[in-house]
Each structure stands twice: as C-alpha cells, then as structure tokens.
Amino acid sequence: QPLEPWLLRCLVCPLSRRPLRYDEASKELINEELGIAYPVLDGIPTMVPEAARTIQKRPPTEGSAQP
C-alpha cells in the first residue's frame, strides 16, 4: 500500500534532514543526495540509519549548488 501523501510531506531523512522520495516499486524512501534508501515494511517507514541500504546517487542537476 502506498504511503499517505500527508505522511510523506512530514518525513525527512534522519541524517540530512532533507525530504525523501517514496519509490512504490521498491517500497523504499529514497534520499538521492546521500544515495540511501529506507525500507517501508507493512506500511511503516523504517527511518533508522542502520536499516538504510546504499543506492547509486543521481548526478547533480545543472544549476544546483554543490556543498
């Protein structure tokens, strides 16, 4: 089941404090900036950094600020 839109607007990455993108196919919350994905198990986001898996980072878009 997909996450409720209001819940997704409230959730942020515990490491970067940035918004997350929900990937319905993999049932994960994605932080593309850090290249990690948090699992969503039985509709419950698992927002523990130790539970995250590493994914390939997306290249920065043109005009985006580099840290």
Side-chain angles (χ1 to χ4, degrees), residues 23-55:
D23 181 47
E24 194 168 344
S26 65
K27 294 185 176 34
E28 294 176 314
L29 290 164
I30 310 293
N31 179 326
E32 293 167 353
E33 180 182 342
L34 296 180
I36 57 176
Y38 297 97
V40 177
L41 306 171
D42 295 324
I44 301 170
T46 307
M47 305 295 293
V48 180
E50 292 80 15
R53 70 176 183 91
T54 303
I55 60 170

